[in-house]
Amino acid sequence: MFNILETNLFLIIILLLMSIIIYYTVSKLIGKLIKICKVKQTGVELFISKFLLIILNLTLMVFVKIKIKDLLSIKELRTGIIFLIIGFLFSILIAFLTYQVVKKNSLVNNYRKMVKESPFLIFLTLILLVGPAEDLLFIGILQHVLMQKFDWIAIPIYLIIFTFYHYINVLCGAESKQEFWGMLPIRLMISFILSFSFYKTNTLIYGLIIHNIFDTLCFLGISIAVKSTKENTTITQ
């Protein structure tokens, strides 16, 4: 093991790119292994994949000698609370907009299966695991290292890399271009809040909470919309 912060800039960039490639490759392998094991419930699949990705992220952080305990400690409490309030309000707004979109039936078919299968396990995954599964790598490693070299410029660099990472879903066929561009403004906004909170507080804890709350409230909005649509369909019939 070695300290990534003590290496030169070129090696740092190479290591960061390798980390992202490893993360993406492992996430795909996890998905394939879950299918091979014939895990059909969406909630179980989501829980297992996010849990294993957290283990991977923690392993990478240990390998490059990043102090995990320090990055997850409570610091700058007053500033952190401000970010939590901003993140919570933003999450409520997006959850409400998501509810409206799904209720109008444009996305119901894509989410109906997710809502119907293991809703409690999906909820548990979103409230606990989804944030660490991404943010430990992209902010805890990537942005943390870039901040040592570029200070605040690490934020736009992180946003560019994070956006490109999600665009890989389009290249692999997991997401359409329309879905990608439609989700991009929301992804950039929530990513900026997470990134900026880390920059100002030097801890991941607030960003992880915001991320988990954001995804959980959006899922609840989807669930309510799907249930409402189903009830309306039943009444109509």
Side-chain angles (χ1 to χ4, degrees):
M1 293 187 295
F2 59 94
N3 192 333
I4 190 173
L5 300 178
E6 296 177 356
T7 59
N8 60 63
L9 181 58
F10 177 75
L11 184 57
I12 286 176
I13 294 174
I14 295 298
L15 289 171
L16 291 178
L17 290 175
M18 286 179 61
S19 298
I20 295 172
I21 293 172
I22 291 172
Y23 178 88
Y24 184 80
T25 302
V26 171
S27 65
K28 289 298 180 183
L29 288 175
I30 291 172
K32 290 182 179 180
L33 287 174
I34 290 175
K35 289 182 179 179
I36 292 174
C37 295
K38 296 182 179 180
V39 176
K40 296 181 180 180
Q41 288 191 325
T42 306
V44 177
E45 179 181 350
L46 185 65
F47 183 88
I48 293 174
S49 61
K50 295 303 180 183
F51 179 79
L52 292 178
L53 286 174
I54 290 173
I55 299 300
L56 171 64
N57 290 340
L58 292 174
T59 303
L60 289 172
M61 294 178 80
V62 170
F63 177 75
V64 297
K65 288 189 175 181
I66 290 179
K67 298 178 180 179
I68 301 172
K69 183 178 179 180
D70 187 52
L71 288 185
L72 295 177
S73 61
I74 298 176
K75 306 174 185 177
E76 303 291 339
L77 185 58
R78 182 177 299 179
T79 304
I81 291 175
I82 293 174
F83 277 108
L84 288 175
I85 294 173
I86 294 173
F88 182 70
L89 294 175
F90 179 76
S91 299
I92 291 177
L93 173 62
I94 299 303
F96 176 75
L97 294 176
T98 302
Y99 165 80
Q100 293 295 330
V101 172
V102 175
K103 190 175 181 181
K104 291 180 180 178
N105 235 12
S106 58
L107 292 175
V108 170
N109 292 332
N110 296 331
Y111 289 106
R112 190 179 300 278
K113 182 180 179 181
M114 182 181 72
V115 171
K116 290 176 64 176
E117 294 183 355
S118 306
F120 176 76
L121 192 55
I122 293 177
F123 177 82
L124 192 65
T125 303
L126 295 176
I127 201 68
L128 295 176
L129 304 181
V130 69
E134 291 187 354
D135 299 338
L136 287 175
L137 172 66
F138 288 100
I139 298 179
I141 297 179
L142 189 148
Q143 181 178 329
H144 176 59
V145 172
L146 292 175
M147 279 171 54
Q148 312 304 311
K149 301 295 182 179
F150 303 112
D151 195 36
W152 65 268
I153 300 177
I155 296 176
I157 295 176
Y158 153 77
L159 291 175
I160 292 172
I161 295 175
F162 191 71
T163 300
F164 176 74
Y165 174 80
H166 280 84
Y167 190 75
I168 294 178
N169 291 331
V170 177
L171 300 178
C172 295
E175 189 175 76
S176 68
K177 286 186 177 181
Q178 184 179 4
E179 290 173 332
F180 172 80
W181 291 113
M183 288 293 296
L184 184 59
I186 296 174
R187 282 173 175 164
L188 287 177
M189 281 296 297
I190 190 65
S191 297
F192 176 77
I193 293 173
L194 303 180
S195 177
F196 195 53
S197 71
F198 178 74
Y199 176 76
K200 297 298 292 185
T201 64
N202 204 33
T203 177
L204 274 170
I205 195 69
Y206 306 115
L208 293 178
I209 294 173
I210 294 169
H211 194 153
N212 288 344
I213 289 175
F214 174 80
D215 281 359
T216 302
L217 290 180
C218 286
F219 174 72
L220 290 176
I222 293 169
S223 301
I224 295 171
V226 170
K227 184 178 180 181
S228 174
T229 304
K230 184 178 179 181
E231 289 176 351
N232 291 337
T233 303
T234 304
I235 293 173
T236 302
Q237 293 176 345

